[in-house]
Amino acid sequence: MAAAALLMAPSVAAPATAPVAHAQGCPDIEVVFARGTDEAAGLGRVGQSFVDSLRGRVGGRSVGAYAVNYPATFDFLQVAAGANDASAHIQYMIANCPNTRLVLGGYSQGAAVVDVIAAIPVPGAGFTNPLPPNTPDFVAAIAVFGNPSAKVGLPLTTSPVWGARSIDLCNAGDPVCGPGDDVPAHSNYVSAGFTDQAAGFVAGLV
């Protein structure tokens, strides 16, 4: 909820200190995705479906994928750990692969990770690695699914910085991101076509 309350704020912080370089093997597009609660390490089911769909929509361009490294347990304070890891990778890509178009994404608790790095301008509550102020020059799009901040009226689409380049999807009846009480709806983002919808939106921006 603290992250949600700060969603409208732009991201500002000290610039990354790593030197800018053109590393070998930089993909044309890189998806940084945080999986949902209790999913096995990796992109998660929603993240993998989203990346696969995006790869089929960007022609011959290469699409890399980085799975945010965090516990994704029912200890939701670990969202800060995910935000720190995601921010570190984003800053690495900005410094070493400046021509790569970055895409941020997350599902459920992973969407909250994205909320934190996109909305909170200063360290706090375990979040110690905010993004530099030039990040919007490198992040082409954001796609989140089942975002808890949407439940309190702060989807990423309302952000003055990220709104136009964000898609924040909530399945009908999903109690995590909306007023519904259909618990299974929170698990149906792949089968209901939301990952394809998000991939189509993102493909138009990268």
PDB file of all heavy atoms in Angstrom, residues 40-58:
ATOM      1  N   ALA A  40       7.947 -20.671  -8.879  1.00  0.00           N
ATOM      2  CA  ALA A  40       9.349 -21.096  -8.875  1.00  0.00           C
ATOM      3  C   ALA A  40      10.231 -20.011  -9.480  1.00  0.00           C
ATOM      4  O   ALA A  40       9.770 -19.185 -10.282  1.00  0.00           O
ATOM      5  CB  ALA A  40       9.491 -22.401  -9.655  1.00  0.00           C
ATOM      6  N   ALA A  41      11.499 -20.027  -9.101  1.00  0.00           N
ATOM      7  CA  ALA A  41      12.443 -19.032  -9.620  1.00  0.00           C
ATOM      8  C   ALA A  41      12.433 -19.024 -11.134  1.00  0.00           C
ATOM      9  O   ALA A  41      12.329 -20.069 -11.783  1.00  0.00           O
ATOM     10  CB  ALA A  41      13.841 -19.319  -9.094  1.00  0.00           C
ATOM     11  N   GLY A  42      12.531 -17.849 -11.704  1.00  0.00           N
ATOM     12  CA  GLY A  42      12.473 -17.674 -13.153  1.00  0.00           C
ATOM     13  C   GLY A  42      11.473 -16.593 -13.497  1.00  0.00           C
ATOM     14  O   GLY A  42      11.128 -15.748 -12.658  1.00  0.00           O
ATOM     15  N   LEU A  43      10.993 -16.604 -14.728  1.00  0.00           N
ATOM     16  CA  LEU A  43      10.031 -15.597 -15.164  1.00  0.00           C
ATOM     17  C   LEU A  43       8.631 -15.855 -14.638  1.00  0.00           C
ATOM     18  O   LEU A  43       7.808 -14.937 -14.586  1.00  0.00           O
ATOM     19  CB  LEU A  43       9.982 -15.542 -16.701  1.00  0.00           C
ATOM     20  CG  LEU A  43      11.254 -15.094 -17.413  1.00  0.00           C
ATOM     21  CD1 LEU A  43      11.089 -15.258 -18.924  1.00  0.00           C
ATOM     22  CD2 LEU A  43      11.602 -13.647 -17.068  1.00  0.00           C
ATOM     23  N   GLY A  44       8.345 -17.117 -14.271  1.00  0.00           N
ATOM     24  CA  GLY A  44       6.986 -17.471 -13.889  1.00  0.00           C
ATOM     25  C   GLY A  44       6.134 -17.731 -15.121  1.00  0.00           C
ATOM     26  O   GLY A  44       6.509 -17.422 -16.257  1.00  0.00           O
ATOM     27  N   ARG A  45       4.972 -18.306 -14.891  1.00  0.00           N
ATOM     28  CA  ARG A  45       4.096 -18.698 -16.000  1.00  0.00           C
ATOM     29  C   ARG A  45       3.630 -17.500 -16.824  1.00  0.00           C
ATOM     30  O   ARG A  45       3.661 -17.510 -18.059  1.00  0.00           O
ATOM     31  CB  ARG A  45       2.892 -19.447 -15.423  1.00  0.00           C
ATOM     32  CG  ARG A  45       2.003 -20.141 -16.428  1.00  0.00           C
ATOM     33  CD  ARG A  45       1.019 -21.039 -15.705  1.00  0.00           C
ATOM     34  NE  ARG A  45       0.359 -20.335 -14.614  1.00  0.00           N
ATOM     35  CZ  ARG A  45      -0.763 -19.629 -14.766  1.00  0.00           C
ATOM     36  NH1 ARG A  45      -1.331 -19.522 -15.961  1.00  0.00           N
ATOM     37  NH2 ARG A  45      -1.320 -19.023 -13.741  1.00  0.00           N
ATOM     38  N   VAL A  46       3.219 -16.439 -16.145  1.00  0.00           N
ATOM     39  CA  VAL A  46       2.741 -15.242 -16.844  1.00  0.00           C
ATOM     40  C   VAL A  46       3.893 -14.559 -17.569  1.00  0.00           C
ATOM     41  O   VAL A  46       3.768 -14.160 -18.737  1.00  0.00           O
ATOM     42  CB  VAL A  46       2.054 -14.283 -15.858  1.00  0.00           C
ATOM     43  CG1 VAL A  46       1.707 -12.962 -16.540  1.00  0.00           C
ATOM     44  CG2 VAL A  46       0.794 -14.931 -15.289  1.00  0.00           C
ATOM     45  N   GLY A  47       5.025 -14.426 -16.894  1.00  0.00           N
ATOM     46  CA  GLY A  47       6.175 -13.778 -17.511  1.00  0.00           C
ATOM     47  C   GLY A  47       6.674 -14.509 -18.734  1.00  0.00           C
ATOM     48  O   GLY A  47       6.981 -13.888 -19.765  1.00  0.00           O
ATOM     49  N   GLN A  48       6.755 -15.831 -18.661  1.00  0.00           N
ATOM     50  CA  GLN A  48       7.231 -16.599 -19.803  1.00  0.00           C
ATOM     51  C   GLN A  48       6.282 -16.484 -20.982  1.00  0.00           C
ATOM     52  O   GLN A  48       6.701 -16.319 -22.131  1.00  0.00           O
ATOM     53  CB  GLN A  48       7.401 -18.069 -19.428  1.00  0.00           C
ATOM     54  CG  GLN A  48       8.093 -18.905 -20.505  1.00  0.00           C
ATOM     55  CD  GLN A  48       9.523 -18.446 -20.749  1.00  0.00           C
ATOM     56  OE1 GLN A  48      10.356 -18.500 -19.840  1.00  0.00           O
ATOM     57  NE2 GLN A  48       9.815 -17.989 -21.956  1.00  0.00           N
ATOM     58  N   SER A  49       4.978 -16.537 -20.705  1.00  0.00           N
ATOM     59  CA  SER A  49       3.989 -16.386 -21.773  1.00  0.00           C
ATOM     60  C   SER A  49       4.088 -15.009 -22.424  1.00  0.00           C
ATOM     61  O   SER A  49       4.025 -14.877 -23.655  1.00  0.00           O
ATOM     62  CB  SER A  49       2.585 -16.604 -21.210  1.00  0.00           C
ATOM     63  OG  SER A  49       1.602 -16.379 -22.189  1.00  0.00           O
ATOM     64  N   PHE A  50       4.269 -13.988 -21.614  1.00  0.00           N
ATOM     65  CA  PHE A  50       4.405 -12.628 -22.140  1.00  0.00           C
ATOM     66  C   PHE A  50       5.640 -12.494 -23.024  1.00  0.00           C
ATOM     67  O   PHE A  50       5.569 -11.961 -24.140  1.00  0.00           O
ATOM     68  CB  PHE A  50       4.459 -11.637 -20.979  1.00  0.00           C
ATOM     69  CG  PHE A  50       4.845 -10.243 -21.363  1.00  0.00           C
ATOM     70  CD1 PHE A  50       4.031  -9.471 -22.171  1.00  0.00           C
ATOM     71  CD2 PHE A  50       6.046  -9.693 -20.922  1.00  0.00           C
ATOM     72  CE1 PHE A  50       4.398  -8.182 -22.536  1.00  0.00           C
ATOM     73  CE2 PHE A  50       6.414  -8.416 -21.263  1.00  0.00           C
ATOM     74  CZ  PHE A  50       5.596  -7.654 -22.080  1.00  0.00           C
ATOM     75  N   VAL A  51       6.775 -12.992 -22.557  1.00  0.00           N
ATOM     76  CA  VAL A  51       8.015 -12.904 -23.335  1.00  0.00           C
ATOM     77  C   VAL A  51       7.888 -13.689 -24.635  1.00  0.00           C
ATOM     78  O   VAL A  51       8.286 -13.212 -25.708  1.00  0.00           O
ATOM     79  CB  VAL A  51       9.213 -13.405 -22.500  1.00  0.00           C
ATOM     80  CG1 VAL A  51      10.456 -13.545 -23.372  1.00  0.00           C
ATOM     81  CG2 VAL A  51       9.491 -12.441 -21.350  1.00  0.00           C
ATOM     82  N   ASP A  52       7.334 -14.880 -24.573  1.00  0.00           N
ATOM     83  CA  ASP A  52       7.161 -15.696 -25.780  1.00  0.00           C
ATOM     84  C   ASP A  52       6.286 -14.977 -26.801  1.00  0.00           C
ATOM     85  O   ASP A  52       6.579 -14.978 -28.011  1.00  0.00           O
ATOM     86  CB  ASP A  52       6.545 -17.049 -25.428  1.00  0.00           C
ATOM     87  CG  ASP A  52       7.497 -17.958 -24.670  1.00  0.00           C
ATOM     88  OD1 ASP A  52       8.707 -17.677 -24.645  1.00  0.00           O
ATOM     89  OD2 ASP A  52       7.017 -18.955 -24.087  1.00  0.00           O
ATOM     90  N   SER A  53       5.198 -14.376 -26.326  1.00  0.00           N
ATOM     91  CA  SER A  53       4.305 -13.663 -27.231  1.00  0.00           C
ATOM     92  C   SER A  53       4.988 -12.436 -27.826  1.00  0.00           C
ATOM     93  O   SER A  53       4.852 -12.152 -29.027  1.00  0.00           O
ATOM     94  CB  SER A  53       3.033 -13.253 -26.481  1.00  0.00           C
ATOM     95  OG  SER A  53       2.112 -12.639 -27.346  1.00  0.00           O
ATOM     96  N   LEU A  54       5.752 -11.725 -27.013  1.00  0.00           N
ATOM     97  CA  LEU A  54       6.452 -10.539 -27.518  1.00  0.00           C
ATOM     98  C   LEU A  54       7.466 -10.922 -28.591  1.00  0.00           C
ATOM     99  O   LEU A  54       7.593 -10.223 -29.610  1.00  0.00           O
ATOM    100  CB  LEU A  54       7.146  -9.815 -26.358  1.00  0.00           C
ATOM    101  CG  LEU A  54       7.882  -8.523 -26.713  1.00  0.00           C
ATOM    102  CD1 LEU A  54       6.928  -7.478 -27.275  1.00  0.00           C
ATOM    103  CD2 LEU A  54       8.621  -7.970 -25.488  1.00  0.00           C
ATOM    104  N   ARG A  55       8.182 -12.034 -28.392  1.00  0.00           N
ATOM    105  CA  ARG A  55       9.175 -12.463 -29.377  1.00  0.00           C
ATOM    106  C   ARG A  55       8.540 -12.726 -30.740  1.00  0.00           C
ATOM    107  O   ARG A  55       9.187 -12.538 -31.774  1.00  0.00           O
ATOM    108  CB  ARG A  55       9.886 -13.722 -28.879  1.00  0.00           C
ATOM    109  CG  ARG A  55      10.924 -13.428 -27.809  1.00  0.00           C
ATOM    110  CD  ARG A  55      11.566 -14.678 -27.255  1.00  0.00           C
ATOM    111  NE  ARG A  55      12.669 -14.341 -26.358  1.00  0.00           N
ATOM    112  CZ  ARG A  55      13.018 -15.048 -25.289  1.00  0.00           C
ATOM    113  NH1 ARG A  55      12.356 -16.157 -24.983  1.00  0.00           N
ATOM    114  NH2 ARG A  55      14.021 -14.653 -24.537  1.00  0.00           N
ATOM    115  N   GLY A  56       7.292 -13.117 -30.745  1.00  0.00           N
ATOM    116  CA  GLY A  56       6.610 -13.369 -32.004  1.00  0.00           C
ATOM    117  C   GLY A  56       6.054 -12.125 -32.666  1.00  0.00           C
ATOM    118  O   GLY A  56       5.467 -12.219 -33.750  1.00  0.00           O
ATOM    119  N   ARG A  57       6.248 -10.964 -32.044  1.00  0.00           N
ATOM    120  CA  ARG A  57       5.629  -9.738 -32.541  1.00  0.00           C
ATOM    121  C   ARG A  57       6.626  -8.651 -32.925  1.00  0.00           C
ATOM    122  O   ARG A  57       6.203  -7.554 -33.300  1.00  0.00           O
ATOM    123  CB  ARG A  57       4.672  -9.180 -31.477  1.00  0.00           C
ATOM    124  CG  ARG A  57       3.477 -10.078 -31.198  1.00  0.00           C
ATOM    125  CD  ARG A  57       2.715  -9.574 -29.981  1.00  0.00           C
ATOM    126  NE  ARG A  57       1.562 -10.392 -29.669  1.00  0.00           N
ATOM    127  CZ  ARG A  57       0.325 -10.165 -30.088  1.00  0.00           C
ATOM    128  NH1 ARG A  57       0.085  -9.120 -30.853  1.00  0.00           N
ATOM    129  NH2 ARG A  57      -0.661 -10.961 -29.751  1.00  0.00           N
ATOM    130  N   VAL A  58       7.924  -8.912 -32.809  1.00  0.00           N
ATOM    131  CA  VAL A  58       8.904  -7.839 -33.025  1.00  0.00           C
ATOM    132  C   VAL A  58       9.817  -8.129 -34.218  1.00  0.00           C
ATOM    133  O   VAL A  58      10.937  -7.610 -34.282  1.00  0.00           O
ATOM    134  CB  VAL A  58       9.731  -7.586 -31.751  1.00  0.00           C
ATOM    135  CG1 VAL A  58       8.851  -7.005 -30.657  1.00  0.00           C
ATOM    136  CG2 VAL A  58      10.443  -8.847 -31.282  1.00  0.00           C
TER     137      VAL A  58
END
